[in-house]
Amino acid sequence: MSSSYTPTAEFTDSTTVLADGDAANATNLNAAPKKALDRAAYLRDATDGLLVWGGNARVAASGTNNGNFKVYCPPIEAVSLLNGTTWGAYSLASETELTSATNFASGTLANSTPYYVYAKVTASALAIEVSATAPDAGNTWKSGATGTHRYLFSFVTDSSGVAVPMRRTRGRTLYSVSTIGAATLVALSNGTATSFTNVDCSALVPANARVATIQSICVNASTTAHGQAQFRTDGETGGYIEQGVGVADASNDFRGVMVFPIDLPSTRIIEYRRSNAAGYASIGVYVYVLGYEE
């Protein structure tokens, strides 16, 4: 009597095949098909969520918060997704602009908010979805939608709900400072704290990112004393990144500039302070988020 067979996801090298004179019983007849089914299950498990693409997403200037976002998903050679109970490979032939009508069910992007872009299947074809829901801990699937919504990339909006121009390459996002200027990217303006104080970067760094690219500008008006600023990951106490600040001249303040990566906790908060030790000047500290890595 026939029965169902649940394959084991494995790929073994040897396969037994029948020879003349072997008994034509179920064990012998099923050996090779079972091996093939085991290998098929192995290959399916190995390719669930497989994403083949360049990953070069971008956001251009002059987008809107409801309409044409100017957010562009690059071509996708292949992505493995679950459609109902069936896995399949889907593709996106060309770069596609995301819009409120086609890609975002909520319609209008919220102000100063991270968004996440997913590949999914709609009507047996690949579709792209914008969502405020972050991906899972592995940065592979939308939280709560394993198998059906493959994570692609993220972007953030400014104070008007417009996507901030950026370019993303293989997990690294850099904001288009030359296009938008630095004002949109400010996380701290003229900070003067002398004990470690929080700088919240969450409006410019999505929840799934754990590294930010920071630019610090420290302004010293003193013509007689140097300054110093220190930066660290929120909650850490073992050390810090130090920035020395030179002395101003008679005509101009000294502006010390430093760009550095820093690891982030889930809150996307870093800490800063300026030194108020004897001999150090009182400086102003500015922090800009230039981008992030996932």
Side-chain angles (χ1 to χ4, degrees):
M1 184 175 181
S2 62
S3 62
S4 62
Y5 173 67
T6 301
T8 300
E10 62 181 13
F11 198 113
T12 54
D13 290 333
S14 62
T15 301
T16 301
V17 295
L18 294 177
D20 289 343
D22 288 340
N25 56 38
T27 299
N28 287 339
L29 292 174
N30 288 334
K34 284 183 176 179
K35 183 74 69 172
L37 290 171
D38 289 346
R39 290 177 175 180
Y42 163 81
L43 292 173
R44 199 214 71 178
D45 284 356
T47 56
D48 288 357
L50 179 67
L51 177 62
V52 182
W53 70 330
N56 299 318
R58 66 185 178 97
V59 176
S62 303
T64 64
N65 65 350
N66 189 321
N68 296 328
F69 295 154
K70 297 295 183 181
V71 176
Y72 294 89
C73 181
I76 297 173
E77 180 70 20
V79 58
S80 178
L81 292 168
L82 187 60
N83 181 17
T85 59
T86 304
W87 286 91
Y90 302 87
S91 63
L92 185 68
S94 59
E95 183 181 67
T96 300
E97 182 181 1
L98 309 185
T99 68
S100 56
T102 303
N103 309 104
F104 188 47
S106 299
T108 301
L109 298 175
N111 301 345
S112 303
T113 300
Y115 284 96
Y116 309 89
V117 180
Y118 299 94
K120 64 179 184 178
V121 180
T122 299
S124 300
L126 185 68
I128 307 299
E129 175 185 284
V130 174
S131 173
T133 301
D136 59 17
N139 267 359
T140 303
W141 303 106
K142 181 180 180 180
S143 296
T146 298
T148 61
H149 289 65
R150 179 62 163 90
Y151 176 64
L152 300 176
F153 65 95
S154 59
F155 65 93
V156 304
T157 59
D158 63 17
S159 58
S160 298
V162 175
V164 178
M166 63 81 171
R167 283 194 179 271
R168 179 190 188 277
T169 301
R170 299 194 180 280
R172 186 184 186 196
T173 294
L174 287 176
Y175 291 117
S176 304
V177 180
S178 300
T179 300
I180 60 177
T184 300
L185 308 179
V186 175
L188 174 68
S189 181
N190 197 28
T192 58
T194 56
S195 59
F196 276 111
T197 301
N198 287 353
V199 179
D200 188 351
C201 300
S202 61
L204 291 161
V205 180
N208 61 322
R210 288 296 175 267
V211 176
T213 301
I214 300 296
Q215 181 186 53
S216 61
I217 299 179
C218 296
V219 181
N220 184 11
S222 173
T223 58
T224 59
H226 292 78
Q228 185 189 90
Q230 298 161 359
F231 306 90
R232 71 184 186 189
T233 303
D234 183 40
E236 301 294 338
T237 58
Y240 49 76
I241 297 169
E242 184 176 290
Q243 180 178 359
V245 186
V247 176
D249 61 31
S251 302
N252 299 286
D253 295 343
F254 185 93
R255 294 171 61 86
V257 180
M258 183 169 70
V259 176
F260 58 94
I262 188 168
D263 60 310
L264 301 171
S266 59
T267 57
R268 291 99 77 205
I269 290 174
I270 64 172
E271 301 175 2
Y272 90 100
R273 71 180 178 188
R274 69 167 182 84
S275 176
N276 65 342
Y280 283 98
S282 176
I283 62 173
V285 180
Y286 298 76
V287 172
Y288 301 84
V289 179
L290 301 184
Y292 56 89
E293 296 179 37
E294 299 172 5

